[in-house]
C-alpha cells in the first residue's frame, strides 16, 4: 500500500493512505537511499493484521526543506502585508529564493487587505512573474480564489510574525484552532505550539503545519551557491546572457543587463536590492561546504 507521511513522533510515522491514517514503524532498509523518513515522504508500507504498518520504501524526494524537515512540497506560500506589521520585502525575497533554489513554486499572499491594498508588493511580484493574491482573513475577501489555488497541492506557509498566517489557516481549516494574536497576547496565555511539522489534509492536498508557523529558518539560504543565486530571481532570466562580461555578478558591474533592466523599470528595485544583500551573504560559500552542510 502507498501513502504520505503526515507526522513522525517517537519513532512512529502516521501515514495517510486510501484506508485512512496508519501508524507505522520504519524498517531501516531505505536508510542507505534517502535516509531517515521525514514528513511529506511518499512511502510504501506493509500493513499487519493488527492494523499497524511498516514502512518498506521511500520514494525519491522531489524536494525537501531542512528546517522544517518536510519533503515533496508543491508550494511555498509567503504571507506578507503592508498593514502593520509591514513585511520587509527582503524576507519575502529570501524565502522565495529558497523555494526557487529547491524547485518549489513560490507564491505571495497579501493579507490584511481590508486595512491596506498592498499595492507596492502586489505590483512588485506581478512584475516578477510570481503568483500573487490579495486576501483578508478578517473579512474573507479573496479567500475563495486562495482555496481554489491550494487545491491538490502540498503547501507550506512562511511569513513574519503577526502577518496573519494562523488567521489564514483557521479560515481555511475551520476547527483547526491555531492560536492567533500578538506575541504579547500569547505570552500572557502561554503558547501551545507543535514541536514537529505535520501535514494536514486540505482540499485534495495538504497544508504543512510548521512549529509556530514562524518564518522558515532562513539559515537554509546559506545553502544557495553564489553562482546559483541569479537563477533564484526568475525575472532576471532574460538578461543573464546579455551582460557584457561572462561571470557578471549583476551587483554593480559595467554593462550589466540586469542592472539596465532595473534602470528601465523591468525589474523591481526592491527585488534587486534583496539579490545584492543575499549575494553578499552567500558569496564566500564553496561547493565543498555545501556538500558538508547537506550531510549534517
Ligand atoms: N484587520 C485584519 N487583521 C488581521 C487579518 N488577519 C489577521 N489579523 C490580525 O492580526 C493579528 C496577528 O494574526 P496571526 O494570525 O496571529 O499572525 P501570525 O502570522 O500567525 O503570527 P505568528 O504566529 O506570531 O507568526 C491578529 O490580531 C489577527 O486578528 C486581516 O486580514 N485583517
Ligand atoms: Mg501564528
Ligand atoms: Zn550582469
Amino acid at each position: 500500500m502507498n501513502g504520505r507521511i503526515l507526522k513522525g513522533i517517537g519513532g512512529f510515522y502516521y501515514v495517510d493512505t486510501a484506508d485512512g491514517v496508519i501508524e507505522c514503524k520504519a524498517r531501516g532498509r531505505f536508510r542507505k537511499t534517502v535516509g531517515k523518513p521525514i514528513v511529506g515522504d511518499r512511502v510504501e508500507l506493509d500493513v499487519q493484521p493488527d492494523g499497524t504498518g511498516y514502512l518498506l520504501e521511500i520514494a525519491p524526494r522531489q524536494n525537501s526543506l531542512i528546517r522544517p524537515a518536510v519533503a515533496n512540497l508543491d508550494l511555498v506560500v509567503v504571507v506578507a502585508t503592508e498593514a502593520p506589521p509591514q513585511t520587509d520585502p527582503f524576507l519575502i525575497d529570501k524565502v522565495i529564493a529558497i523555494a526557487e533554489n529547491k524547485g518549489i513554486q513560490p507564491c505571495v499572499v497579501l493579507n490584511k487587505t481590508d486595512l491596506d491594498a498592498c499595492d507596492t508588493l502586489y505590483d512588485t511580484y506581478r512584475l516578477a512573474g510570481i503568483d500573487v493574491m490579495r486576501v483578508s482573513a478578517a473579512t474573507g475577501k479573496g479567500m475563495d480564489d486562495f482555496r481554489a489555488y491550494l487545491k491538490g497541492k502540498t503547501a507550506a506557509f512562511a511569513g513574519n510574525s503577526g502577518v496573519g498566517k494562523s488567521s489564514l489557516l483557521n479560515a481555511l481549516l475551520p476547527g483547526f484552532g491555531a492560536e492567533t494574536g500578538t506575541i504579547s497576547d500569547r505570552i500572557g496565555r502561554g503558547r501551545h505550539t507543535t514541536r514537529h511539522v505535520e501535514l494536514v489534509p486540505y482540499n485534495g492536498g495538504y497544508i504543512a503545519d510548521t512549529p509556530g508557523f514562524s518564518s522558515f529558518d532562513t539559515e537554509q539560504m546559506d545553502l544557495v551557491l553564489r553562482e546559483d543565486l541569479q537563477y533564484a530571481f526568475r525575472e532576471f532570466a532574460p538578461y543573464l546572457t546579455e551582460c557584457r562580461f561572462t561571470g557578471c555578478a549583476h551587483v554593480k558591474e559595467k554593462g550589466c543587463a540586469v542592472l539596465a533592466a532595473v534602470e528601465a523599470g523591468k525589474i523591481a528595485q526592491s527585488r534587486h536590492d534583496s539579490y545584492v544583500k543575499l549575494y553578499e551573504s552567500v558569496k564566500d560559500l564553496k561547493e565543498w561546504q555545501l556538500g558538508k552542510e547537506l550531510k549534517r
Side-chain angles (χ1 to χ4, degrees):
M1 183 180 287
N2 295 308
R4 192 89 189 265
I5 298 182
L6 297 180
K7 60 178 170 179
I9 299 168
F12 289 97
Y13 298 93
Y14 296 84
V15 181
D16 192 26
T17 74
D19 289 352
V21 177
I22 297 179
E23 184 186 276
C24 295
K25 278 187 169 178
R27 244 190 195 159
R29 255 204 271 173
F30 39 73
R31 285 184 193 275
K32 286 194 188 73
T33 52
V34 287
K36 245 171 76 101
I38 62 174
V39 169
D41 271 332
R42 294 192 170 88
V43 295
E44 200 186 303
L45 55 145
D46 184 25
V47 185
Q48 307 294 301
D50 70 356
T52 67
Y54 282 100
L55 303 186
L56 299 176
E57 265 343 307
I58 300 176
R61 293 175 184 140
Q62 294 163 276
N63 56 62
S64 63
L65 296 176
I66 302 166
R67 285 171 291 257
V70 56
N72 303 314
L73 291 176
D74 298 312
L75 191 66
V76 165
V77 179
V78 188
V79 185
T81 190
E82 287 178 43
Q86 198 172 3
T87 310
D88 179 355
F90 179 66
L91 173 72
I92 305 174
D93 295 331
K94 198 166 175 177
V95 176
I96 290 174
I98 292 170
E100 299 273 26
N101 184 244
K102 299 205 174 244
I104 309 169
Q105 188 185 319
C107 75
V108 177
V109 169
L110 301 170
N111 188 37
K112 307 199 185 189
T113 57
D114 53 305
L115 302 177
D116 188 305
C118 305
D119 287 335
T120 305
L121 292 176
Y122 186 82
D123 292 345
T124 298
Y125 296 98
R126 272 290 296 260
L127 185 63
I130 290 163
D131 291 344
V132 51
M133 273 159 280
R134 299 190 223 231
V135 302
S136 167
T139 67
K141 194 177 96 183
M143 291 301 289
D144 285 342
D145 288 343
F146 185 35
R147 282 190 189 91
Y149 185 77
L150 290 173
K151 191 178 168 64
K153 293 180 182 135
T154 302
F157 285 55
N160 54 308
S161 183
V163 78
K165 298 176 295 296
S166 298
S167 304
L168 287 172
L169 287 158
N170 286 337
L172 295 170
L173 299 156
F176 182 66
E179 266 193 87
T180 61
T182 60
I183 292 166
S184 50
D185 287 347
R186 273 197 306 258
I187 288 165
R189 283 184 285 140
R191 288 186 75 163
H192 305 284
T193 49
T194 35
R195 290 216 31 87
H196 304 278
V197 57
E198 176 176 346
L199 291 188
V200 182
Y202 177 74
N203 204 7
Y206 299 89
I207 289 175
D209 177 5
T210 58
F213 284 106
S214 58
S215 60
F216 285 143
D217 187 339
T218 43
E219 257 182 62
Q220 295 192 77
M221 194 60 233
D222 298 337
L223 300 179
V224 182
L225 285 174
R226 171 172 55 173
E227 297 77 24
D228 291 340
L229 189 63
Q230 58 190 330
Y231 307 113
F233 286 73
R234 59 172 67 188
E235 72 273 40
F236 292 9
Y239 310 105
L240 295 178
T241 55
E242 305 296 315
C243 299
R244 187 181 304 162
F245 303 107
T246 50
C248 181
H250 324 300
V251 172
K252 52 174 191 274
E253 290 75 6
K254 278 210 164 60
C256 173
V258 172
L259 286 169
V262 175
E263 248 346 272
K266 290 179 181 149
I267 293 173
Q269 184 67 54
S270 72
R271 289 276 292 166
H272 186 259
D273 290 347
S274 295
Y275 168 82
V276 172
K277 211 164 153 185
L278 287 171
Y279 186 87
E280 294 302 325
S281 73
V282 301
K283 68 179 179 184
D284 294 326
L285 190 72
K286 299 289 184 302
E287 192 140 22
W288 63 268
Q289 290 174 308
L290 185 76
K292 199 168 121 198
E293 272 291 300
L294 291 174
K295 283 195 198 86
R296 276 201 313 193

